Every structure is written in structure tokens, then in C-alpha cells.
Amino acid sequence: MQLALTPFLVGMTLGHLVFSPLSDRYGRGAPLPAGAVICAVATALCAVAPSLWCWSHCGS
């Protein structure tokens, strides 16, 4: 559980730091689809991860 929770929280924090200023500057129209694409790619990488280490460090 800890292997998945830490990268998730780090990713959420970094996502807020990156997408909040973009959303303030451009509105929600552009950053929202970009975030959805990043989420979809990360989910696909998790689905095909060969090991737990790769799953917890490469996409979750």
C-alpha cells in the first residue's frame, strides 16, 4: 500500500502545482483535456506494468 500511496500523493501535489497556474491563465478548456490524456496514459502504463515496483513508480 505504501508503495502506491507515496507516488500518488507526490503526483497529485505536482499536478496541482503545474495545472493550477495553467488553469488560471488559460481557463479550464486546455489544461483539463491535457490532464485527462496524462491520466489515461498513466493508467495504460499501470495496466501493462511487469512488476509491482514498476507499477508503483512509473504511473500511479
Side-chain angles (χ1 to χ4, degrees):
M1 180 75 160
Q2 187 68 29
L3 286 175
L5 189 58
T6 301
F8 171 77
L9 291 175
V10 169
M12 288 294 291
T13 301
L14 292 176
H16 284 289
L17 290 175
V18 170
F19 282 102
S20 292
L22 290 175
S23 182
D24 289 341
R25 182 173 185 127
Y26 301 110
R28 293 185 188 169
L32 187 61
V37 168
I38 291 170
C39 182
V41 169
T43 300
L45 289 174
C46 286
V48 297
S51 66
L52 179 62
W53 185 91
C54 186
W55 174 81
S56 67
H57 289 85
C58 298
S60 77

Coordinates of all heavy atoms in Angstrom, one line a residue:
M1 N 0.8 -1.2 0.0 CA 0.0 0.0 0.0 C 0.9 1.3 0.0 O 0.6 2.2 -0.7 CB -0.9 0.0 1.2 CG -1.8 1.1 1.3 SD -3.1 1.0 0.1 CE -4.3 2.1 0.8
Q2 N 1.9 1.3 0.8 CA 2.8 2.4 0.9 C 3.5 2.7 -0.4 O 3.7 3.8 -0.8 CB 3.8 2.2 2.0 CG 4.7 3.4 2.3 CD 3.9 4.6 2.9 OE1 2.9 4.3 3.6 NE2 4.3 5.8 2.6
L3 N 3.8 1.6 -1.2 CA 4.5 1.8 -2.5 C 3.6 2.6 -3.5 O 4.1 3.2 -4.4 CB 4.9 0.5 -3.1 CG 6.0 -0.3 -2.4 CD1 6.2 -1.6 -3.1 CD2 7.3 0.5 -2.6
A4 N 2.3 2.4 -3.3 CA 1.4 3.1 -4.2 C 1.0 4.5 -3.7 O 0.7 5.4 -4.5 CB 0.1 2.3 -4.5
L5 N 0.9 4.6 -2.4 CA 0.3 5.9 -1.8 C 1.3 7.0 -2.0 O 0.9 8.1 -2.4 CB 0.0 5.6 -0.4 CG -0.7 6.8 0.4 CD1 -2.0 7.0 -0.3 CD2 -1.0 6.4 1.8
T6 N 2.6 6.8 -1.7 CA 3.5 7.9 -1.8 C 3.7 8.5 -3.2 O 3.5 9.7 -3.4 CB 4.9 7.4 -1.3 OG1 4.8 7.0 0.0 CG2 5.9 8.6 -1.4
P7 N 3.9 7.7 -4.3 CA 3.9 8.3 -5.6 C 2.6 8.9 -6.0 O 2.6 10.0 -6.7 CB 4.2 7.1 -6.6 CG 4.8 6.0 -5.7 CD 4.2 6.3 -4.3
F8 N 1.5 8.4 -5.6 CA 0.2 9.0 -5.9 C 0.1 10.4 -5.3 O -0.3 11.4 -6.0 CB -1.0 8.2 -5.3 CG -2.3 8.8 -5.4 CD1 -3.0 8.9 -6.6 CD2 -2.9 9.4 -4.3 CE1 -4.2 9.6 -6.7 CE2 -4.1 10.0 -4.4 CZ -4.8 10.1 -5.6
L9 N 0.5 10.6 -4.0 CA 0.4 11.9 -3.4 C 1.4 12.8 -4.0 O 1.1 14.0 -4.1 CB 0.7 11.7 -1.9 CG -0.5 11.0 -1.1 CD1 -0.1 10.8 0.3 CD2 -1.8 11.8 -1.2
V10 N 2.6 12.4 -4.3 CA 3.6 13.2 -5.0 C 3.1 13.7 -6.3 O 3.2 14.9 -6.7 CB 4.9 12.5 -5.1 CG1 5.9 13.3 -6.0 CG2 5.6 12.3 -3.7
G11 N 2.5 12.8 -7.1 CA 1.9 13.1 -8.4 C 0.8 14.1 -8.3 O 0.7 15.0 -9.1
M12 N -0.1 13.9 -7.3 CA -1.2 14.9 -7.1 C -0.7 16.3 -6.7 O -1.2 17.3 -7.2 CB -2.1 14.4 -6.0 CG -3.0 13.2 -6.4 SD -4.2 13.6 -7.7 CE -5.3 14.6 -6.8
T13 N 0.3 16.3 -5.9 CA 0.9 17.6 -5.5 C 1.5 18.3 -6.7 O 1.3 19.5 -6.9 CB 1.9 17.4 -4.4 OG1 1.3 16.8 -3.3 CG2 2.5 18.7 -4.0
L14 N 2.3 17.6 -7.5 CA 3.0 18.2 -8.6 C 1.9 18.6 -9.7 O 2.1 19.6 -10.3 CB 4.0 17.2 -9.2 CG 5.2 16.9 -8.4 CD1 6.1 15.9 -9.0 CD2 6.0 18.2 -8.1
G15 N 0.9 17.8 -9.8 CA -0.2 18.1 -10.7 C -0.8 19.4 -10.4 O -1.1 20.3 -11.3
H16 N -1.1 19.6 -9.1 CA -1.7 20.9 -8.7 C -0.8 22.1 -8.9 O -1.2 23.1 -9.3 CB -2.1 20.8 -7.2 CG -3.3 20.0 -6.9 ND1 -4.6 20.4 -7.3 CD2 -3.5 18.8 -6.4 CE1 -5.5 19.5 -7.0 NE2 -4.8 18.5 -6.4
L17 N 0.5 21.8 -8.6 CA 1.5 22.9 -8.8 C 1.6 23.3 -10.3 O 1.8 24.5 -10.6 CB 2.8 22.5 -8.3 CG 2.9 22.4 -6.7 CD1 4.3 21.9 -6.3 CD2 2.6 23.8 -6.1
V18 N 1.4 22.4 -11.2 CA 1.6 22.6 -12.6 C 0.3 23.1 -13.2 O 0.2 24.1 -13.9 CB 2.1 21.4 -13.4 CG1 2.0 21.6 -14.9 CG2 3.5 21.0 -13.0
F19 N -0.8 22.4 -13.0 CA -2.1 22.7 -13.7 C -2.9 23.9 -13.1 O -3.7 24.5 -13.8 CB -3.0 21.5 -13.7 CG -2.5 20.5 -14.8 CD1 -1.8 19.4 -14.5 CD2 -2.8 20.8 -16.1 CE1 -1.4 18.5 -15.5 CE2 -2.4 19.9 -17.1 CZ -1.7 18.8 -16.8
S20 N -2.6 24.2 -11.8 CA -3.3 25.4 -11.2 C -3.0 26.7 -11.9 O -3.9 27.4 -12.3 CB -3.1 25.5 -9.7 OG -3.7 24.4 -9.1
P21 N -1.7 27.0 -12.1 CA -1.4 28.2 -12.8 C -1.8 28.2 -14.3 O -2.3 29.2 -14.8 CB 0.1 28.3 -12.8 CG 0.5 27.5 -11.6 CD -0.5 26.4 -11.5
L22 N -1.8 27.0 -14.9 CA -2.2 26.9 -16.3 C -3.7 27.2 -16.4 O -4.2 27.8 -17.3 CB -1.9 25.5 -16.9 CG -0.4 25.3 -17.2 CD1 -0.2 23.8 -17.6 CD2 0.1 26.2 -18.2
S23 N -4.5 26.6 -15.4 CA -5.9 26.8 -15.4 C -6.2 28.3 -15.2 O -7.2 28.8 -15.7 CB -6.5 26.0 -14.3 OG -7.9 26.1 -14.3
D24 N -5.5 29.0 -14.3 CA -5.7 30.4 -14.1 C -5.4 31.2 -15.3 O -6.1 32.2 -15.6 CB -4.8 30.9 -12.9 CG -5.3 30.3 -11.6 OD1 -6.4 29.9 -11.5 OD2 -4.4 30.4 -10.6
R25 N -4.4 30.8 -16.1 CA -4.0 31.6 -17.2 C -4.9 31.4 -18.4 O -5.3 32.3 -19.1 CB -2.6 31.3 -17.6 CG -2.1 32.2 -18.7 CD -0.6 32.0 -18.9 NE -0.2 32.9 -19.9 CZ 0.8 33.8 -19.8 NH1 1.5 33.8 -18.7 NH2 1.1 34.5 -20.8
Y26 N -5.2 30.1 -18.7 CA -5.9 29.7 -19.9 C -7.3 29.3 -19.7 O -8.0 28.9 -20.7 CB -5.1 28.6 -20.7 CG -3.7 29.0 -21.0 CD1 -2.7 28.4 -20.4 CD2 -3.5 29.9 -22.0 CE1 -1.4 28.7 -20.7 CE2 -2.2 30.3 -22.3 CZ -1.1 29.7 -21.7 OH 0.1 30.0 -22.0
G27 N -7.8 29.2 -18.5 CA -9.1 28.7 -18.2 C -9.0 27.1 -18.1 O -8.0 26.6 -18.2
R28 N -10.2 26.5 -18.0 CA -10.2 25.0 -17.9 C -10.2 24.3 -19.2 O -10.0 23.1 -19.3 CB -11.4 24.6 -17.1 CG -11.4 25.1 -15.7 CD -12.5 24.5 -14.9 NE -12.6 25.1 -13.6 CZ -13.6 25.0 -12.8 NH1 -14.7 24.3 -13.2 NH2 -13.6 25.5 -11.6
G29 N -10.4 25.0 -20.3 CA -10.5 24.4 -21.6 C -9.3 23.6 -22.1 O -9.4 22.5 -22.5
A30 N -8.1 24.1 -21.9 CA -6.9 23.4 -22.4 C -6.3 22.5 -21.3 O -5.9 21.4 -21.7 CB -5.9 24.5 -22.8
P31 N -6.1 22.9 -20.1 CA -5.5 22.0 -19.1 C -6.3 20.8 -18.8 O -5.7 19.7 -18.5 CB -5.3 22.9 -17.9 CG -5.3 24.3 -18.4 CD -6.2 24.3 -19.5
L32 N -7.6 20.8 -18.8 CA -8.5 19.7 -18.5 C -8.3 18.5 -19.4 O -8.0 17.4 -19.0 CB -9.9 20.1 -18.4 CG -10.9 19.0 -17.9 CD1 -10.5 18.7 -16.4 CD2 -12.3 19.6 -17.9
P33 N -8.3 18.7 -20.7 CA -8.1 17.6 -21.6 C -6.6 17.1 -21.5 O -6.4 15.9 -21.6 CB -8.4 18.1 -23.0 CG -9.2 19.3 -22.8 CD -8.9 19.8 -21.5
A34 N -5.7 18.0 -21.3 CA -4.3 17.5 -21.2 C -4.1 16.6 -19.9 O -3.5 15.6 -20.0 CB -3.4 18.7 -21.1
G35 N -4.8 17.0 -18.9 CA -4.7 16.2 -17.6 C -5.4 14.8 -17.8 O -4.9 13.8 -17.3
A36 N -6.5 14.8 -18.6 CA -7.2 13.6 -18.9 C -6.3 12.6 -19.7 O -6.3 11.4 -19.5 CB -8.5 13.8 -19.6
V37 N -5.6 13.2 -20.7 CA -4.7 12.4 -21.5 C -3.5 11.8 -20.7 O -3.2 10.6 -20.8 CB -4.1 13.2 -22.7 CG1 -3.0 12.5 -23.4 CG2 -5.3 13.5 -23.7
I38 N -3.0 12.7 -19.8 CA -1.9 12.2 -18.9 C -2.4 11.1 -18.0 O -1.7 10.0 -17.8 CB -1.3 13.4 -18.1 CG1 -0.6 14.3 -19.0 CG2 -0.4 12.9 -17.0 CD1 -0.2 15.6 -18.4
C39 N -3.6 11.2 -17.5 CA -4.2 10.2 -16.6 C -4.4 8.9 -17.4 O -4.2 7.8 -16.9 CB -5.5 10.7 -16.0 SG -6.3 9.5 -14.9
A40 N -4.9 9.0 -18.6 CA -5.2 7.8 -19.4 C -3.9 7.1 -19.8 O -3.8 5.8 -19.7 CB -5.9 8.2 -20.7
V41 N -2.8 7.8 -20.1 CA -1.5 7.2 -20.4 C -1.0 6.5 -19.2 O -0.5 5.4 -19.2 CB -0.6 8.3 -21.0 CG1 0.9 7.7 -21.0 CG2 -1.0 8.7 -22.3
A42 N -1.0 7.2 -18.0 CA -0.5 6.6 -16.8 C -1.3 5.3 -16.4 O -0.7 4.3 -16.0 CB -0.6 7.6 -15.6
T43 N -2.6 5.3 -16.6 CA -3.4 4.1 -16.4 C -3.0 3.0 -17.3 O -2.9 1.8 -16.8 CB -4.9 4.5 -16.6 OG1 -5.3 5.5 -15.6 CG2 -5.8 3.3 -16.3
A44 N -2.8 3.3 -18.6 CA -2.4 2.2 -19.5 C -1.0 1.7 -19.1 O -0.8 0.5 -19.2 CB -2.3 2.8 -20.9
L45 N -0.1 2.5 -18.7 CA 1.2 2.0 -18.2 C 1.1 1.2 -17.0 O 1.8 0.1 -16.9 CB 2.1 3.2 -17.9 CG 2.6 4.0 -19.1 CD1 3.4 5.2 -18.7 CD2 3.4 3.1 -20.0
C46 N 0.2 1.5 -16.1 CA -0.1 0.7 -14.9 C -0.6 -0.7 -15.3 O -0.3 -1.7 -14.7 CB -1.0 1.4 -13.9 SG -0.2 2.7 -13.0
A47 N -1.5 -0.7 -16.3 CA -2.2 -1.9 -16.7 C -1.2 -2.9 -17.3 O -1.4 -4.1 -17.2 CB -3.3 -1.6 -17.7
V48 N -0.1 -2.4 -17.9 CA 0.9 -3.3 -18.6 C 2.2 -3.4 -17.8 O 3.2 -4.0 -18.3 CB 1.1 -2.9 -20.0 CG1 -0.1 -3.0 -20.9 CG2 1.7 -1.5 -20.1
A49 N 2.2 -2.9 -16.6 CA 3.4 -2.9 -15.8 C 3.8 -4.4 -15.5 O 3.0 -5.2 -15.1 CB 3.2 -2.2 -14.5
P50 N 5.1 -4.7 -15.7 CA 5.6 -6.1 -15.5 C 5.8 -6.4 -14.0 O 5.9 -7.6 -13.7 CB 6.9 -6.2 -16.3 CG 7.4 -4.8 -16.3 CD 6.2 -3.9 -16.3
S51 N 5.9 -5.4 -13.1 CA 6.2 -5.7 -11.7 C 5.5 -4.7 -10.8 O 5.1 -3.6 -11.3 CB 7.7 -5.7 -11.4 OG 8.2 -4.4 -11.6
L52 N 5.4 -5.0 -9.6 CA 4.8 -4.1 -8.6 C 5.7 -2.8 -8.5 O 5.2 -1.7 -8.4 CB 4.7 -4.7 -7.2 CG 4.1 -3.9 -6.1 CD1 2.7 -3.4 -6.5 CD2 4.1 -4.6 -4.8
W53 N 7.0 -2.9 -8.5 CA 7.9 -1.7 -8.4 C 7.6 -0.8 -9.6 O 7.5 0.4 -9.4 CB 9.3 -2.1 -8.4 CG 10.2 -1.0 -8.2 CD1 10.7 -0.5 -7.0 CD2 10.8 -0.1 -9.2 NE1 11.4 0.6 -7.2 CE2 11.5 0.9 -8.6 CE3 10.6 0.0 -10.6 CZ2 12.1 1.9 -9.2 CZ3 11.3 1.0 -11.3 CH2 12.0 2.0 -10.6
C54 N 7.5 -1.3 -10.8 CA 7.3 -0.5 -12.0 C 5.9 0.1 -11.9 O 5.7 1.3 -12.2 CB 7.4 -1.4 -13.2 SG 7.3 -0.4 -14.7
W55 N 4.9 -0.6 -11.4 CA 3.6 -0.1 -11.3 C 3.5 1.1 -10.3 O 2.9 2.1 -10.6 CB 2.6 -1.2 -10.8 CG 1.3 -0.7 -10.5 CD1 0.3 -0.5 -11.4 CD2 0.7 -0.4 -9.2 NE1 -0.9 -0.1 -10.8 CE2 -0.6 0.0 -9.5 CE3 1.2 -0.4 -7.9 CZ2 -1.4 0.4 -8.4 CZ3 0.4 0.0 -6.9 CH2 -0.9 0.4 -7.1
S56 N 4.2 0.9 -9.2 CA 4.1 2.0 -8.2 C 5.0 3.2 -8.4 O 4.7 4.3 -7.9 CB 4.5 1.4 -6.8 OG 5.8 1.0 -6.8
H57 N 6.0 3.0 -9.3 CA 6.9 4.2 -9.5 C 6.8 4.8 -10.9 O 7.3 5.8 -11.2 CB 8.4 3.7 -9.3 CG 8.7 3.5 -7.9 ND1 8.4 2.3 -7.3 CD2 9.2 4.3 -7.0 CE1 8.8 2.3 -6.0 NE2 9.3 3.5 -5.8
C58 N 6.1 4.1 -11.8 CA 6.0 4.6 -13.2 C 4.7 5.2 -13.6 O 4.5 5.7 -14.7 CB 6.4 3.5 -14.1 SG 8.0 2.9 -13.9
G59 N 3.7 5.1 -12.8 CA 2.4 5.6 -13.3 C 1.3 5.9 -12.2 O 0.4 6.6 -12.6
S60 N 1.4 5.3 -11.1 CA 0.3 5.5 -10.2 C 0.4 6.8 -9.4 O 1.3 7.5 -9.3 CB 0.1 4.4 -9.2 OG 1.1 4.5 -8.2

